[in-house]
Every structure is written in C-alpha cells, then in structure tokens.
Amino acid sequence: MKNIKKNKKIQFLPGLGEKPKEYKQLSKHLNILNVDWNTGKITPPIKKCDVLVGFSMGAIGVCEYALKHRVKTLILCSMTTGVESLKKLKLKTDKIIFLVGEKEKWVIKDTLRIAKPIKNKEIHIIKKGDHRIGKNYQKKLIEIITHI
C-alpha cells in the first residue's frame, strides 16, 4: 500500500461501536475521530475540512455535518441505508463518493437508489468487501484520497 502523508484536513468518522484504535492502518493517512454513540459527542470535534469520510453510521454523521457546513468531498463507506438527506447535500458539496463492499447486496441496492438523483457522485464496489473496512476496502479508500 502506497504510504501517503497524513492529511489532517481529511477526517474519518468510524461506525457504531468502533474506536479509532481499530483503524491503525488508516490513521497513517486520515485523522480518525472518536464518537461516543451514547451521547453523539465527537472528539476531537469535526473541524473545517475539504474531505470528510464516514463508515456505516459514521457516514450518516458526516452527512449531518455537511448539511450545516461546506465540505468539498464526502466519502461515504458502507453507509447505513435510508439517508434521504443526501438530496439536500448536492447543493453543499462538490462530490459524493460511495464505497460499498460487493457482499453488501442490500447496501448496494439502497446506495444506487439514493444516489440516483445526485449528479456529482462516484460509486465504487469493493471486490470481496463486506461491512468492514478490510484490506481491499482500505486500499481503495487510500487510492481515492490520494487522488483528491
């Protein structure tokens, strides 16, 4: 995996119940935030950024942040389905990038549905991927952030 310089302006929100320590490999490239899912408190808080990445429930969190703050690029990884607020985001972001594991059939189906009206999007299906950020998933995510 190509080692890129950590970009503190690219922030990552983990999924429900996950901690930053579970993302050691990604922490070399992204600023991994911690979410207390009982209170919704994010530490350190999300700061103004050009790129915001979220996984699963964390993807919903970054969407909610982007509704109130300008973010150039959102990267939504295996986003929990049913997020209809994406329609409003197309006015507040330049690009929305979806990553979904090929084994997540229900997430792929819903991602295609909710992404349909969004013009400024990319959808990447991760080969052999499931609802975890495994090796193939990390590789694709790092490839995407190096080209932003």
Side-chain angles (χ1 to χ4, degrees):
M1 214 177 285
K2 181 181 172 187
N3 194 10
I4 60 169
K5 186 176 179 184
K6 183 174 178 176
N7 185 335
K8 293 187 187 275
K9 291 206 177 225
I10 300 178
Q11 297 173 70
F12 178 88
L13 232 58
L16 182 64
E18 297 179 325
K19 299 289 180 198
K21 67 182 177 183
E22 296 172 54
Y23 293 100
K24 284 184 181 178
Q25 186 65 29
L26 285 179
S27 69
K28 297 174 185 174
H29 310 284
L30 307 165
N31 185 20
I32 311 290
L33 306 176
N34 187 46
V35 181
D36 180 334
W37 290 103
N38 292 318
T39 64
K41 185 176 181 182
I42 299 170
T43 52
I46 297 174
K47 295 187 175 149
K48 185 176 180 180
C49 58
D50 291 336
V51 181
L52 194 50
V53 183
F55 173 71
S56 191
M57 285 292 286
I60 292 175
V62 302
C63 287
E64 293 301 314
Y65 177 86
L67 285 171
K68 298 174 185 149
H69 305 89
R70 175 93 170 104
V71 178
K72 288 184 180 179
T73 303
L74 286 179
I75 302 175
L76 307 174
C77 303
S78 296
M79 184 174 62
T80 300
T81 61
V83 179
E84 304 303 327
S85 61
L86 285 175
K87 294 172 189 165
K88 298 175 190 170
L89 285 175
K90 58 185 173 180
L91 301 174
K92 299 217 176 214
T93 186
D94 296 339
K95 182 182 271 189
I96 299 175
I97 301 171
F98 297 89
L99 278 74
V100 183
E102 78 174 346
K103 295 179 182 177
E104 297 180 278
K105 302 296 182 194
W106 57 275
V107 179
I108 293 171
K109 183 179 176 183
D110 209 45
T111 297
L112 293 172
R113 179 187 65 80
I114 60 177
K116 194 176 225 176
I118 300 169
K119 290 182 177 33
N120 55 343
K121 69 178 177 277
E122 291 178 16
I123 300 174
H124 300 271
I125 308 296
I126 310 301
K127 189 170 178 118
K128 299 180 183 177
D130 55 21
H131 201 74
R132 293 177 293 137
I133 297 191
K135 189 175 181 177
N136 287 348
Y137 216 121
Q138 286 183 33
K139 184 177 178 182
K140 186 63 174 181
L141 180 55
I142 292 167
E143 176 188 312
I144 288 169
I145 63 173
T146 58
H147 291 99
I148 291 179

